[in-house]
Amino acid sequence: MPEARYAVFGHPIAHSLSPRIHAAFARQAGIALQYTAIDAPPGQFPDILAAFATGGGRGGNVTMPLKEQAYALSATLTPRARAVGAVNTLTWRDGQWHGDNTDGAGLVRDLTGRHALDLRGRRALLVGAGGAARGVAAALLDAGVLELAVVNRTPARADALVDSLGQPGRAYSRYWDDLSNQGDFELIVNATSAARGTGAGAFTAPMTLVNSRTLAVDINYGEAAIPFLAWARAAGCLHVVDGLGMLVEQAAEAFELWHGVRPDTSPVYDELRAEQVRLVTAD
């Protein structure tokens, strides 16, 4: 019997902190764990995932741009994965992959728990409509946002995401070129990945989107989050949050699913955050 293996799949994937996070969780729980990062170009992902299972793979996290592919490769889906049409957590059981999505739960737990922010009653703007955006859209609605506007460079994808949410009137799509006419928002979430792996290009959007209590969230972390967070600070957002906490919290959800143990996320988050601060200071 091959040794049980776990991994995170993405393209690119060298930046991923997931192996460190899961190693830390495993030390807490006293679990021997083999968890690696596997680069999987979209065209090769099905074959790479199949080889991983044959070699003892028992669970996988999935990041950009593979979440919708992971959905299609799953034999069964949890209700939350089915609702959003994207999978970020795979479990191998009975010779099949079973898909879940822990992104939304991770984001809400980070914002409402770690940052003590109330999402209820906020008018929200979601930038992006890919697998990452799908993972958080339904969770934001469940957390009580008043309404959710979705904007994407490809309007058809925004329309498809809104249709999948099944809440007409409360969730709706808007054109990117018409953002200046949409008023302001109390929550703006960037779920695009344009900056990852390409350097810190500028993020541009009308600053009229921001009001005196706007919370700006980028589900990316590190270098990939810099452009949006810089825009948010320049626009005067009251709170600015990157995706590091979401990353840790969604990983905890997956770890509990695989191992039946809920890890303590605080020390893991604090260590990673302190390291990021040191890197910024060193620069």
Side-chain angles (χ1 to χ4, degrees), residues 10 12 39 44 71 77 93 115 129 135 163 174 227 230 244 258 265:
D39 185 78
Q44 301 173 34
Y71 178 93
L77 298 158
R93 187 171 65 248
H115 297 286
D163 288 345
R174 289 293 182 263
L244 183 63
W258 294 331
T265 58

PDB file of all heavy atoms in Angstrom, residues 10 12 39 44 71 77 93 115 129 135 163 174 227 230 244 258 265:
ATOM      1  N   GLY A  10      -1.638  23.550  -8.613  1.00  0.00           N
ATOM      2  CA  GLY A  10      -1.882  24.859  -9.194  1.00  0.00           C
ATOM      3  C   GLY A  10      -0.892  25.111 -10.302  1.00  0.00           C
ATOM      4  O   GLY A  10      -0.003  24.296 -10.578  1.00  0.00           O
ATOM      5  N   PRO A  12       0.925  28.858 -11.657  1.00  0.00           N
ATOM      6  CA  PRO A  12       2.113  28.330 -10.981  1.00  0.00           C
ATOM      7  C   PRO A  12       1.797  27.931  -9.540  1.00  0.00           C
ATOM      8  O   PRO A  12       0.724  28.251  -9.024  1.00  0.00           O
ATOM      9  CB  PRO A  12       3.082  29.525 -11.022  1.00  0.00           C
ATOM     10  CG  PRO A  12       2.167  30.717 -10.995  1.00  0.00           C
ATOM     11  CD  PRO A  12       0.949  30.331 -11.794  1.00  0.00           C
ATOM     12  N   ASP A  39       3.023  21.275  -9.537  1.00  0.00           N
ATOM     13  CA  ASP A  39       2.661  22.157 -10.642  1.00  0.00           C
ATOM     14  C   ASP A  39       1.848  21.363 -11.660  1.00  0.00           C
ATOM     15  O   ASP A  39       2.259  20.283 -12.105  1.00  0.00           O
ATOM     16  CB  ASP A  39       3.918  22.715 -11.308  1.00  0.00           C
ATOM     17  CG  ASP A  39       3.568  23.733 -12.379  1.00  0.00           C
ATOM     18  OD1 ASP A  39       3.246  24.871 -12.008  1.00  0.00           O
ATOM     19  OD2 ASP A  39       3.609  23.375 -13.579  1.00  0.00           O
ATOM     20  N   GLN A  44      -2.776  19.395 -18.448  1.00  0.00           N
ATOM     21  CA  GLN A  44      -2.200  18.167 -17.910  1.00  0.00           C
ATOM     22  C   GLN A  44      -2.789  17.753 -16.561  1.00  0.00           C
ATOM     23  O   GLN A  44      -2.471  16.700 -16.044  1.00  0.00           O
ATOM     24  CB  GLN A  44      -0.687  18.340 -17.762  1.00  0.00           C
ATOM     25  CG  GLN A  44       0.036  18.676 -19.045  1.00  0.00           C
ATOM     26  CD  GLN A  44       1.509  19.003 -18.804  1.00  0.00           C
ATOM     27  OE1 GLN A  44       2.149  18.451 -17.922  1.00  0.00           O
ATOM     28  NE2 GLN A  44       2.039  19.922 -19.599  1.00  0.00           N
ATOM     29  N   TYR A  71     -13.730  20.578 -10.143  1.00  0.00           N
ATOM     30  CA  TYR A  71     -15.178  20.347 -10.025  1.00  0.00           C
ATOM     31  C   TYR A  71     -15.607  19.273 -11.033  1.00  0.00           C
ATOM     32  O   TYR A  71     -16.332  18.323 -10.681  1.00  0.00           O
ATOM     33  CB  TYR A  71     -15.906  21.660 -10.274  1.00  0.00           C
ATOM     34  CG  TYR A  71     -17.414  21.583 -10.224  1.00  0.00           C
ATOM     35  CD1 TYR A  71     -18.107  21.851  -9.053  1.00  0.00           C
ATOM     36  CD2 TYR A  71     -18.148  21.275 -11.375  1.00  0.00           C
ATOM     37  CE1 TYR A  71     -19.501  21.802  -9.009  1.00  0.00           C
ATOM     38  CE2 TYR A  71     -19.535  21.226 -11.343  1.00  0.00           C
ATOM     39  CZ  TYR A  71     -20.203  21.492 -10.158  1.00  0.00           C
ATOM     40  OH  TYR A  71     -21.570  21.437 -10.129  1.00  0.00           O
ATOM     41  N   LEU A  77     -19.975  15.696  -5.021  1.00  0.00           N
ATOM     42  CA  LEU A  77     -19.723  17.072  -4.604  1.00  0.00           C
ATOM     43  C   LEU A  77     -20.509  17.382  -3.342  1.00  0.00           C
ATOM     44  O   LEU A  77     -21.659  16.944  -3.190  1.00  0.00           O
ATOM     45  CB  LEU A  77     -20.147  18.046  -5.710  1.00  0.00           C
ATOM     46  CG  LEU A  77     -19.412  17.938  -7.044  1.00  0.00           C
ATOM     47  CD1 LEU A  77     -20.249  18.530  -8.161  1.00  0.00           C
ATOM     48  CD2 LEU A  77     -18.058  18.643  -6.965  1.00  0.00           C
ATOM     49  N   ARG A  93     -11.609   8.605  -2.152  1.00  0.00           N
ATOM     50  CA  ARG A  93     -12.350   7.624  -1.356  1.00  0.00           C
ATOM     51  C   ARG A  93     -13.095   6.695  -2.303  1.00  0.00           C
ATOM     52  O   ARG A  93     -13.713   7.134  -3.260  1.00  0.00           O
ATOM     53  CB  ARG A  93     -13.335   8.350  -0.437  1.00  0.00           C
ATOM     54  CG  ARG A  93     -14.049   7.473   0.562  1.00  0.00           C
ATOM     55  CD  ARG A  93     -14.847   8.295   1.568  1.00  0.00           C
ATOM     56  NE  ARG A  93     -15.953   9.029   0.934  1.00  0.00           N
ATOM     57  CZ  ARG A  93     -15.999  10.337   0.815  1.00  0.00           C
ATOM     58  NH1 ARG A  93     -15.019  11.095   1.284  1.00  0.00           N
ATOM     59  NH2 ARG A  93     -17.035  10.930   0.236  1.00  0.00           N
ATOM     60  N   HIS A 115     -10.600  39.118  12.287  1.00  0.00           N
ATOM     61  CA  HIS A 115     -10.643  40.575  12.144  1.00  0.00           C
ATOM     62  C   HIS A 115     -11.876  41.216  12.785  1.00  0.00           C
ATOM     63  O   HIS A 115     -11.993  42.440  12.773  1.00  0.00           O
ATOM     64  CB  HIS A 115     -10.565  40.952  10.660  1.00  0.00           C
ATOM     65  CG  HIS A 115      -9.281  40.538  10.000  1.00  0.00           C
ATOM     66  ND1 HIS A 115      -8.085  41.187  10.213  1.00  0.00           N
ATOM     67  CD2 HIS A 115      -9.010  39.513   9.153  1.00  0.00           C
ATOM     68  CE1 HIS A 115      -7.127  40.591   9.506  1.00  0.00           C
ATOM     69  NE2 HIS A 115      -7.663  39.577   8.850  1.00  0.00           N
ATOM     70  N   ALA A 129     -14.729  36.375 -11.711  1.00  0.00           N
ATOM     71  CA  ALA A 129     -15.820  35.404 -11.826  1.00  0.00           C
ATOM     72  C   ALA A 129     -15.299  34.000 -12.111  1.00  0.00           C
ATOM     73  O   ALA A 129     -16.049  33.147 -12.588  1.00  0.00           O
ATOM     74  CB  ALA A 129     -16.788  35.838 -12.928  1.00  0.00           C
ATOM     75  N   GLY A 135     -15.911  30.419  -5.375  1.00  0.00           N
ATOM     76  CA  GLY A 135     -15.755  29.830  -4.053  1.00  0.00           C
ATOM     77  C   GLY A 135     -16.215  30.717  -2.924  1.00  0.00           C
ATOM     78  O   GLY A 135     -16.589  30.220  -1.846  1.00  0.00           O
ATOM     79  N   ASP A 163     -26.039  33.742 -12.203  1.00  0.00           N
ATOM     80  CA  ASP A 163     -27.120  32.784 -12.450  1.00  0.00           C
ATOM     81  C   ASP A 163     -27.007  31.583 -11.513  1.00  0.00           C
ATOM     82  O   ASP A 163     -28.018  31.071 -11.017  1.00  0.00           O
ATOM     83  CB  ASP A 163     -27.102  32.310 -13.901  1.00  0.00           C
ATOM     84  CG  ASP A 163     -27.559  33.390 -14.879  1.00  0.00           C
ATOM     85  OD1 ASP A 163     -28.153  34.382 -14.424  1.00  0.00           O
ATOM     86  OD2 ASP A 163     -27.295  33.231 -16.087  1.00  0.00           O
ATOM     87  N   ARG A 174     -22.485  43.322 -13.415  1.00  0.00           N
ATOM     88  CA  ARG A 174     -22.328  44.664 -13.970  1.00  0.00           C
ATOM     89  C   ARG A 174     -21.136  44.669 -14.923  1.00  0.00           C
ATOM     90  O   ARG A 174     -20.211  43.862 -14.806  1.00  0.00           O
ATOM     91  CB  ARG A 174     -22.111  45.685 -12.848  1.00  0.00           C
ATOM     92  CG  ARG A 174     -23.369  45.949 -12.012  1.00  0.00           C
ATOM     93  CD  ARG A 174     -24.424  46.642 -12.843  1.00  0.00           C
ATOM     94  NE  ARG A 174     -25.634  46.967 -12.099  1.00  0.00           N
ATOM     95  CZ  ARG A 174     -26.746  46.222 -12.096  1.00  0.00           C
ATOM     96  NH1 ARG A 174     -26.769  45.087 -12.782  1.00  0.00           N
ATOM     97  NH2 ARG A 174     -27.812  46.602 -11.420  1.00  0.00           N
ATOM     98  N   PRO A 227      -1.010  45.003  -5.849  1.00  0.00           N
ATOM     99  CA  PRO A 227      -1.686  46.030  -6.666  1.00  0.00           C
ATOM    100  C   PRO A 227      -3.048  46.438  -6.127  1.00  0.00           C
ATOM    101  O   PRO A 227      -3.348  47.627  -6.015  1.00  0.00           O
ATOM    102  CB  PRO A 227      -1.797  45.351  -8.037  1.00  0.00           C
ATOM    103  CG  PRO A 227      -0.696  44.344  -8.062  1.00  0.00           C
ATOM    104  CD  PRO A 227      -0.605  43.834  -6.664  1.00  0.00           C
ATOM    105  N   ALA A 230      -2.786  48.296  -2.733  1.00  0.00           N
ATOM    106  CA  ALA A 230      -2.284  49.662  -2.919  1.00  0.00           C
ATOM    107  C   ALA A 230      -3.407  50.576  -3.404  1.00  0.00           C
ATOM    108  O   ALA A 230      -3.542  51.714  -2.936  1.00  0.00           O
ATOM    109  CB  ALA A 230      -1.126  49.656  -3.918  1.00  0.00           C
ATOM    110  N   LEU A 244      -4.120  36.103   3.343  1.00  0.00           N
ATOM    111  CA  LEU A 244      -3.339  35.152   4.130  1.00  0.00           C
ATOM    112  C   LEU A 244      -4.216  34.422   5.151  1.00  0.00           C
ATOM    113  O   LEU A 244      -4.113  33.202   5.307  1.00  0.00           O
ATOM    114  CB  LEU A 244      -2.180  35.865   4.833  1.00  0.00           C
ATOM    115  CG  LEU A 244      -1.242  34.959   5.626  1.00  0.00           C
ATOM    116  CD1 LEU A 244      -0.537  33.964   4.708  1.00  0.00           C
ATOM    117  CD2 LEU A 244      -0.207  35.791   6.390  1.00  0.00           C
ATOM    118  N   TRP A 258     -10.014  15.845   6.143  1.00  0.00           N
ATOM    119  CA  TRP A 258      -9.165  14.673   5.887  1.00  0.00           C
ATOM    120  C   TRP A 258      -8.822  13.884   7.141  1.00  0.00           C
ATOM    121  O   TRP A 258      -8.743  12.663   7.117  1.00  0.00           O
ATOM    122  CB  TRP A 258      -7.860  15.122   5.229  1.00  0.00           C
ATOM    123  CG  TRP A 258      -7.999  15.691   3.860  1.00  0.00           C
ATOM    124  CD1 TRP A 258      -8.959  15.396   2.929  1.00  0.00           C
ATOM    125  CD2 TRP A 258      -7.150  16.661   3.243  1.00  0.00           C
ATOM    126  NE1 TRP A 258      -8.767  16.110   1.782  1.00  0.00           N
ATOM    127  CE2 TRP A 258      -7.652  16.907   1.946  1.00  0.00           C
ATOM    128  CE3 TRP A 258      -6.014  17.350   3.654  1.00  0.00           C
ATOM    129  CZ2 TRP A 258      -7.060  17.802   1.061  1.00  0.00           C
ATOM    130  CZ3 TRP A 258      -5.413  18.249   2.781  1.00  0.00           C
ATOM    131  CH2 TRP A 258      -5.947  18.462   1.489  1.00  0.00           C
ATOM    132  N   THR A 265      -5.571  27.659  14.239  1.00  0.00           N
ATOM    133  CA  THR A 265      -5.004  28.429  13.136  1.00  0.00           C
ATOM    134  C   THR A 265      -4.202  29.642  13.596  1.00  0.00           C
ATOM    135  O   THR A 265      -3.359  30.140  12.841  1.00  0.00           O
ATOM    136  CB  THR A 265      -6.123  28.915  12.191  1.00  0.00           C
ATOM    137  OG1 THR A 265      -7.056  29.708  12.935  1.00  0.00           O
ATOM    138  CG2 THR A 265      -6.846  27.734  11.562  1.00  0.00           C
TER     139      THR A 265
END
